[in-house]
Short mmCIF file of all heavy atoms in Angstrom, two decimals:
data_model
loop_
_atom_site.label_atom_id
_atom_site.label_comp_id
_atom_site.label_asym_id
_atom_site.label_seq_id
_atom_site.Cartn_x
_atom_site.Cartn_y
_atom_site.Cartn_z
N ARG A 56 -49.06 285.48 67.55
CA ARG A 56 -49.66 284.91 68.76
C ARG A 56 -49.15 283.49 69.00
O ARG A 56 -48.94 283.07 70.15
CB ARG A 56 -51.18 284.94 68.66
CG ARG A 56 -51.75 286.35 68.70
CD ARG A 56 -53.25 286.34 68.98
NE ARG A 56 -54.01 285.75 67.89
CZ ARG A 56 -54.56 286.44 66.90
NH1 ARG A 56 -54.42 287.77 66.85
NH2 ARG A 56 -55.27 285.84 65.95
N LYS A 57 -48.93 282.74 67.94
CA LYS A 57 -48.37 281.40 68.08
C LYS A 57 -46.97 281.45 68.68
O LYS A 57 -46.60 280.62 69.53
CB LYS A 57 -48.33 280.71 66.72
CG LYS A 57 -47.78 279.28 66.77
CD LYS A 57 -47.75 278.65 65.38
CE LYS A 57 -47.16 277.25 65.43
NZ LYS A 57 -47.11 276.61 64.09
N LYS A 58 -46.19 282.43 68.28
CA LYS A 58 -44.84 282.59 68.81
C LYS A 58 -44.89 282.87 70.32
O LYS A 58 -44.08 282.33 71.09
CB LYS A 58 -44.12 283.74 68.09
CG LYS A 58 -42.67 283.90 68.48
CD LYS A 58 -42.00 285.01 67.66
CE LYS A 58 -40.53 285.17 68.07
NZ LYS A 58 -39.88 286.25 67.26
N ILE A 59 -45.85 283.72 70.74
CA ILE A 59 -46.02 284.00 72.17
C ILE A 59 -46.40 282.72 72.90
O ILE A 59 -45.86 282.42 73.98
CB ILE A 59 -47.09 285.08 72.39
CG1 ILE A 59 -46.63 286.42 71.82
CG2 ILE A 59 -47.41 285.22 73.88
CD1 ILE A 59 -47.70 287.49 71.80
N ARG A 60 -47.33 281.95 72.33
CA ARG A 60 -47.77 280.70 72.96
C ARG A 60 -46.60 279.74 73.16
O ARG A 60 -46.43 279.14 74.22
CB ARG A 60 -48.85 280.03 72.12
CG ARG A 60 -49.42 278.75 72.77
CD ARG A 60 -50.30 278.00 71.79
NE ARG A 60 -49.51 277.35 70.77
CZ ARG A 60 -49.89 277.20 69.51
NH1 ARG A 60 -51.04 277.66 69.08
NH2 ARG A 60 -49.11 276.58 68.63
N ASN A 61 -45.78 279.58 72.14
CA ASN A 61 -44.67 278.63 72.24
C ASN A 61 -43.61 279.09 73.23
O ASN A 61 -43.03 278.27 73.95
CB ASN A 61 -44.07 278.41 70.86
CG ASN A 61 -45.03 277.68 69.91
OD1 ASN A 61 -45.95 277.00 70.38
ND2 ASN A 61 -44.83 277.84 68.62
N LYS A 62 -43.36 280.39 73.31
CA LYS A 62 -42.44 280.91 74.32
C LYS A 62 -43.04 280.76 75.71
O LYS A 62 -42.32 280.53 76.69
CB LYS A 62 -42.10 282.37 74.02
CG LYS A 62 -41.23 282.56 72.79
CD LYS A 62 -40.95 284.03 72.50
CE LYS A 62 -39.99 284.62 73.51
NZ LYS A 62 -39.62 286.02 73.15
N PHE A 63 -44.37 280.90 75.80
CA PHE A 63 -45.05 280.67 77.08
C PHE A 63 -44.80 279.25 77.57
O PHE A 63 -44.51 279.04 78.76
CB PHE A 63 -46.56 280.93 76.96
CG PHE A 63 -47.35 280.26 78.05
CD1 PHE A 63 -47.44 280.83 79.31
CD2 PHE A 63 -47.98 279.03 77.84
CE1 PHE A 63 -48.13 280.20 80.34
CE2 PHE A 63 -48.68 278.40 78.85
CZ PHE A 63 -48.76 278.99 80.10
N TYR A 64 -44.94 278.26 76.68
CA TYR A 64 -44.70 276.88 77.09
C TYR A 64 -43.30 276.71 77.67
O TYR A 64 -43.10 276.01 78.66
CB TYR A 64 -44.86 275.93 75.89
CG TYR A 64 -46.29 275.57 75.55
CD1 TYR A 64 -46.73 275.58 74.22
CD2 TYR A 64 -47.19 275.18 76.53
CE1 TYR A 64 -48.04 275.22 73.89
CE2 TYR A 64 -48.49 274.82 76.21
CZ TYR A 64 -48.92 274.85 74.89
OH TYR A 64 -50.21 274.50 74.57
N ARG A 65 -42.33 277.37 77.06
CA ARG A 65 -40.95 277.29 77.55
C ARG A 65 -40.85 277.90 78.96
O ARG A 65 -40.27 277.31 79.86
CB ARG A 65 -40.02 278.04 76.59
CG ARG A 65 -38.60 278.24 77.10
CD ARG A 65 -37.83 276.95 77.16
NE ARG A 65 -37.52 276.48 75.82
CZ ARG A 65 -37.05 275.26 75.56
NH1 ARG A 65 -36.87 274.40 76.55
NH2 ARG A 65 -36.78 274.89 74.32
N ASN A 66 -41.42 279.09 79.13
CA ASN A 66 -41.39 279.74 80.44
C ASN A 66 -42.15 278.94 81.49
O ASN A 66 -41.74 278.87 82.66
CB ASN A 66 -41.97 281.15 80.34
CG ASN A 66 -41.09 282.09 79.55
OD1 ASN A 66 -39.86 282.01 79.63
ND2 ASN A 66 -41.68 282.97 78.76
N PHE A 67 -43.26 278.35 81.08
CA PHE A 67 -44.11 277.57 81.99
C PHE A 67 -43.35 276.38 82.55
O PHE A 67 -43.32 276.16 83.77
CB PHE A 67 -45.36 277.12 81.23
CG PHE A 67 -46.32 276.30 82.04
CD1 PHE A 67 -47.25 276.90 82.88
CD2 PHE A 67 -46.29 274.91 81.97
CE1 PHE A 67 -48.14 276.13 83.63
CE2 PHE A 67 -47.17 274.14 82.71
CZ PHE A 67 -48.10 274.76 83.54
N THR A 68 -42.72 275.58 81.69
CA THR A 68 -42.01 274.40 82.17
C THR A 68 -40.74 274.78 82.93
O THR A 68 -40.40 274.13 83.92
CB THR A 68 -41.68 273.45 81.00
OG1 THR A 68 -40.91 274.14 80.01
CG2 THR A 68 -42.95 272.90 80.37
N ASP A 69 -40.06 275.83 82.49
CA ASP A 69 -38.88 276.29 83.23
C ASP A 69 -39.26 276.71 84.65
O ASP A 69 -38.60 276.34 85.63
CB ASP A 69 -38.23 277.47 82.51
CG ASP A 69 -37.33 277.05 81.36
OD1 ASP A 69 -37.18 275.83 81.13
OD2 ASP A 69 -36.76 277.94 80.70
N ALA A 70 -40.32 277.51 84.76
CA ALA A 70 -40.70 278.08 86.05
C ALA A 70 -41.26 277.02 86.99
O ALA A 70 -40.85 276.91 88.15
CB ALA A 70 -41.70 279.21 85.86
N PHE A 71 -42.21 276.22 86.49
CA PHE A 71 -42.89 275.27 87.37
C PHE A 71 -42.05 274.05 87.69
O PHE A 71 -42.31 273.38 88.71
CB PHE A 71 -44.22 274.83 86.75
CG PHE A 71 -45.33 275.80 87.03
CD1 PHE A 71 -45.66 276.78 86.11
CD2 PHE A 71 -46.04 275.75 88.23
CE1 PHE A 71 -46.68 277.68 86.37
CE2 PHE A 71 -47.06 276.64 88.49
CZ PHE A 71 -47.38 277.62 87.56
N PHE A 72 -41.07 273.75 86.88
CA PHE A 72 -40.22 272.60 87.19
C PHE A 72 -38.83 273.04 87.63
O PHE A 72 -38.52 273.06 88.82
CB PHE A 72 -40.13 271.63 86.01
CG PHE A 72 -39.24 270.45 86.30
CD1 PHE A 72 -39.70 269.42 87.11
CD2 PHE A 72 -37.93 270.40 85.81
CE1 PHE A 72 -38.87 268.35 87.42
CE2 PHE A 72 -37.11 269.33 86.12
CZ PHE A 72 -37.57 268.30 86.92
N ALA A 73 -37.98 273.41 86.69
CA ALA A 73 -36.56 273.63 86.98
C ALA A 73 -36.32 274.71 88.03
O ALA A 73 -35.65 274.49 89.05
CB ALA A 73 -35.81 273.95 85.69
N GLU A 74 -36.86 275.90 87.79
CA GLU A 74 -36.52 277.04 88.63
C GLU A 74 -37.14 276.96 90.03
O GLU A 74 -36.47 277.26 91.02
CB GLU A 74 -36.95 278.33 87.94
CG GLU A 74 -36.16 278.59 86.67
CD GLU A 74 -36.74 279.68 85.79
OE1 GLU A 74 -37.79 280.25 86.15
OE2 GLU A 74 -36.14 279.97 84.74
N THR A 75 -38.39 276.53 90.10
CA THR A 75 -39.04 276.46 91.41
C THR A 75 -38.44 275.34 92.25
O THR A 75 -38.23 275.52 93.46
CB THR A 75 -40.56 276.26 91.24
OG1 THR A 75 -41.10 277.39 90.55
CG2 THR A 75 -41.25 276.15 92.59
N ILE A 76 -38.13 274.21 91.65
CA ILE A 76 -37.47 273.14 92.40
C ILE A 76 -36.09 273.59 92.89
O ILE A 76 -35.70 273.32 94.03
CB ILE A 76 -37.36 271.87 91.54
CG1 ILE A 76 -38.73 271.21 91.42
CG2 ILE A 76 -36.35 270.88 92.14
CD1 ILE A 76 -38.76 270.00 90.53
N LYS A 77 -35.36 274.31 92.04
CA LYS A 77 -34.03 274.78 92.44
C LYS A 77 -34.10 275.71 93.63
O LYS A 77 -33.17 275.74 94.47
CB LYS A 77 -33.36 275.49 91.25
CG LYS A 77 -31.90 275.85 91.51
CD LYS A 77 -31.05 274.62 91.76
CE LYS A 77 -29.62 274.95 92.16
NZ LYS A 77 -28.84 273.74 92.51
N LEU A 78 -35.19 276.47 93.76
CA LEU A 78 -35.33 277.39 94.89
C LEU A 78 -35.30 276.68 96.24
O LEU A 78 -34.99 277.30 97.26
CB LEU A 78 -36.65 278.17 94.77
CG LEU A 78 -36.68 279.31 93.76
CD1 LEU A 78 -38.09 279.91 93.69
CD2 LEU A 78 -35.65 280.39 94.09
N LEU A 79 -35.58 275.39 96.25
CA LEU A 79 -35.63 274.66 97.52
C LEU A 79 -34.27 274.62 98.22
O LEU A 79 -34.20 274.62 99.46
CB LEU A 79 -36.14 273.24 97.26
CG LEU A 79 -36.55 272.39 98.46
CD1 LEU A 79 -37.66 273.06 99.26
CD2 LEU A 79 -37.00 271.01 97.99
N THR A 80 -33.18 274.61 97.44
CA THR A 80 -31.84 274.51 98.04
C THR A 80 -30.85 275.54 97.49
O THR A 80 -29.67 275.49 97.84
CB THR A 80 -31.25 273.10 97.81
OG1 THR A 80 -31.16 272.86 96.40
CG2 THR A 80 -32.10 272.03 98.47
N ILE A 81 -31.30 276.45 96.66
CA ILE A 81 -30.38 277.38 96.02
C ILE A 81 -29.62 278.21 97.06
O ILE A 81 -30.16 278.58 98.11
CB ILE A 81 -31.14 278.31 95.04
CG1 ILE A 81 -30.17 279.02 94.10
CG2 ILE A 81 -32.02 279.30 95.79
CD1 ILE A 81 -30.85 279.73 92.94
N SER A 82 -28.37 278.48 96.81
CA SER A 82 -27.59 279.31 97.72
C SER A 82 -27.94 280.78 97.51
O SER A 82 -28.43 281.18 96.44
CB SER A 82 -26.09 279.12 97.48
OG SER A 82 -25.72 279.66 96.21
#
Side-chain angles (χ1 to χ4, degrees):
R56 292 195 294 266
K57 181 180 178 181
K58 185 177 180 180
I59 294 171
R60 183 190 73 214
N61 293 338
K62 290 179 72 175
F63 160 80
Y64 279 135
R65 170 70 71 192
N66 291 323
F67 180 83
T68 57
D69 279 358
F71 277 95
F72 179 76
E74 294 168 359
T75 298
I76 286 177
K77 187 61 186 176
L78 283 176
L79 193 59
T80 59
I81 196 169
S82 69

